Amino acid sequence: QVQLVESGGGLVQAGDSLRLSCAASGRTDSSYAMAWFRQAPGKERDLVAGISGSGQRTYYTDSVEGRFTISRDNAKNTVYLQMNSLKPEDTAVYYCAAREGILIRAKYDYWGQGTQVTVSS
């Protein structure tokens, strides 16, 4: 079983930066792909960024490309999402997710409880 705990959300102004962290416990290692999803009110949960187990492959949705950076520290079992130049449309609950395997854009099996990010204009 895998447990994921997110932290780092908050209320910021447009143009500010935030770094989200996701601490993983249980059976997690470099064989697990990790990702960040977000869900805004009234919208579906969408994949924002993902990273392979080794950290060598990453994926970003178009709207965050160049502003967000996903990274991982396997020694600490932690995944990060550095968010720069935040926009009001980035406001959402951000979820950390994990799946065993090499695919990033696939169904995820484990989820954190979410952390709120609110960007004011």
Side-chain angles (χ1 to χ4, degrees):
Q1 194 66 286
V2 174
Q3 296 82 42
L4 304 171
V5 179
E6 303 99 333
S7 61
L11 171 63
V12 297
Q13 293 186 331
D16 285 350
S17 298
L18 272 179
R19 189 176 81 156
L20 304 182
S21 298
C22 173
S25 59
R27 187 175 172 241
T28 57
D29 53 33
S30 60
S31 67
Y32 280 73
M34 303 290 292
W36 288 95
F37 287 73
R38 68 185 179 188
Q39 187 169 22
K43 296 188 177 180
E44 294 185 351
R45 187 177 301 187
D46 294 323
L47 176 61
V48 175
I51 189 166
S52 63
S54 66
Q56 292 183 334
R57 291 184 298 113
T58 57
Y59 165 83
Y60 298 96
T61 193
D62 288 346
S63 61
V64 308
E65 182 81 54
R67 298 189 298 122
F68 290 12
T69 303
I70 189 170
S71 61
R72 66 190 294 165
D73 184 337
N74 287 339
K76 296 181 178 180
N77 285 338
T78 302
V79 177
Y80 306 96
L81 185 67
Q82 178 66 43
M83 305 186 294
N84 298 330
S85 302
L86 283 161
K87 303 176 180 180
E89 50 264 42
D90 294 318
T91 295
V93 177
Y94 283 71
Y95 297 90
C96 177
R99 67 176 307 277
E100 189 170 10
I102 63 173
L103 296 178
I104 294 174
R105 300 182 68 183
K107 179 180 179 294
Y108 281 75
D109 302 305
Y110 304 100
W111 295 85
Q113 82 288 351
T115 185
Q116 177 71 46
V117 172
T118 303
V119 184
S120 64
S121 58

